[in-house]
Each structure stands twice: as C-alpha cells, then as structure tokens.
Amino acid sequence: MKTVTKYLSFCFLIVFFSCVNEPVDLSTPNGEDPTPIPVNFEENFGSQVTADFFGRIVDEDKMPLEGVSIIVGSTTTTTDAFGVFSIKDANAFENFAYITARKTGYIDGSRSLVPSITEVNQVEIMLLKEDITATISSGIMAEVNLGNSASVTFDGNFQTENGAAYNGDVKVVLKHLNPDDSDMTMMMPGMLYAQNLSGNPVALETYGMLAVELFSSGDEPLQLADNSTAQIKIPLANNTINPPATMPLWNFDDVKGYWIEEGEATLEGNFYIGSVSHFSFWNY
C-alpha cells in the first residue's frame, strides 16, 4: 500500500502556503491577474531563526553509527558511539530546517522539518550502505536489476563530475525504498515536501523511491553524460489500489533539502517506468 507520511506541522506548512490570497489588480483588462513575478522558492521558508536539534543515526540494521558528520545550517558536529548528536542554536528558517548526515561508505542521508524554536527538535535518520549492486561497462546499454525487479537501464554514456567523458567500468549503487517497508520514512531524504513545475510548494505521497550512485573503477563519482537518459523502473507496492496511469517524477535536491518536479512516470503492467537525465534520489 502506498505510504502517506503525515506530520501535523508539515501539513500546517502546506496549508499556510496554499492559503495566501493574491489581490486582483483591477487596472488590468477584465480584472484579470497580471503576469506573476517569479520569486525565490525559499521565500516560503519564512524568517531566519535558531533552533536546537537532538538526533540518532543508525544503519539498515538499526545499529548506531559513530562519526557521522551532521550539518544544520552553518553548524556541524559528529555522532558519538551511540549514534547520537546534539546541536544548539543552529541556523534555520521558521518554516524549514534541513539536517544532513554524511559518512564514508554510506549514501548521504537527511531530514527536513518545520522546526520548533521552544523545544528540542528530535531527528532519526537511517543511512543506506553504499554497496555496489553491479559493475557495468561504458559504451554498452545495460540493465541493473534488484531482486524485486526495481531496475535502472543505462544507455552506456557517462561523464565525470567535471563533465569529461568517461570510458571504463562503472560501479552502480542501487537502492529501492519500498512503501511497504515501515522504515521508509527513516531512510528517505528530506520530507515529502516539494516544488512543482509552477514553482509552488506541494505535499507529496510516494509510491516508492530509487537512489542511484555511480562510480568509476577508481571510485570517482560519475553521472550520466549530457543529453543521455536512463530508464528507472519500480514495482507497485503491495495492495496498491487504483494506481494512476501517469504521475510526476520528483528529484531530491540534496543542497536545498526538498523535492523538485522533473519528468513523468507511466504505469506499465505492475511497474512504473520513467526516464531521468541525472541521479540522486527519485520519488514516484
């Protein structure tokens, strides 16, 4: 069954954003709204505040992770032997705080939330091991498939972080976050908050996510080459009722801390399939 993550404060945030009334300029013909002036999406986050954070970082076996780098605003710390961290007076926004967790050998984790400025904000993040799922070769179309049929099909064209063409072996890390998994909300990045194609904030529900990382034979990060795409495919979660024929795809921006609409997925049999031009976390 699809997962709907609900946080009361998060819902208040979305409702607040959705209820701002725009005045009609009666000087325009027929009383129509003038062309809207583009604004910075982050203006939705409100004023800057300081807040306290306390959290725990674990691995996929729910064991504590020591030495994880934690960043909140301009404040950094590391987890102790119990996977615990504490940060006081970190910079945040009244409607949005972004916490990142990084450790070598793991996919970067994060959490976004509407912070309290009067109480300690509690966070728990599960980091996903950066295990190599498969090794493929450049120049050749290849599919990397997990046991549950979640997969990525590559066209064989890759590049380094500085944009140079890459030829050679490509190590692929592939993780499927399944809505049937009760730990999915700990594993997923940010929260289910996004910017749609119109530039407006929206709340999401998820039918599943994929995390993909690519590395060279020398462990240098790779991406798809310019003008190349890959096909990403996930199976329907158990007991899904009336899945839509198409739905937007959402890419997680790990710098900004929220999802951005980019592309579309199509239901084919018991799978959703879409095309992407780069990798991080993708949300159906």
Side-chain angles (χ1 to χ4, degrees), residues 6-153:
K6 296 183 178 179
Y7 301 106
L8 291 178
S9 57
F10 176 41
C11 293
F12 171 79
L13 173 66
I14 297 299
V15 170
F16 174 79
F17 289 158
S18 301
C19 292
V20 177
N21 294 318
E22 295 292 339
V24 175
D25 183 354
L26 298 179
S27 66
T28 58
N30 301 320
E32 297 176 354
D33 287 335
T35 302
I37 300 173
V39 296
N40 185 352
F41 183 77
E42 281 75 13
E43 289 181 359
N44 292 307
F45 298 164
S47 302
Q48 288 195 345
V49 297
T50 58
D52 300 337
F53 298 86
F54 177 86
R56 185 168 181 260
I57 312 299
V58 299
D59 64 16
E60 291 169 84
D61 295 320
K62 297 187 178 179
M63 298 301 293
L65 285 174
E66 183 179 5
V68 179
S69 296
I70 305 295
I71 304 173
V72 185
S74 58
T75 305
T76 62
T77 189
T78 56
T79 57
D80 62 17
F82 302 100
V84 171
F85 72 89
S86 178
I87 291 179
K88 293 184 66 64
D89 298 326
N91 296 326
F93 293 95
E94 59 183 337
N95 295 322
F96 188 85
Y98 181 43
I99 303 97
T100 60
R102 297 172 182 166
K103 182 176 176 65
T104 300
Y106 293 83
I107 297 174
D108 289 351
S110 64
R111 187 69 64 245
S112 303
L113 52 85
V114 181
S116 170
I117 59 175
T118 58
E119 299 179 0
V120 176
N121 297 277
Q122 298 191 24
V123 177
E124 189 167 25
I125 297 173
M126 179 179 287
L127 293 187
L128 306 177
K129 188 70 175 177
E130 220 167 40
D131 296 319
I132 304 302
T133 306
T135 299
I136 61 177
S137 298
S138 65
I140 302 173
M141 181 174 289
E143 179 185 71
V144 176
N145 199 311
L146 295 176
N148 65 354
S149 297
S151 67
V152 180
T153 302

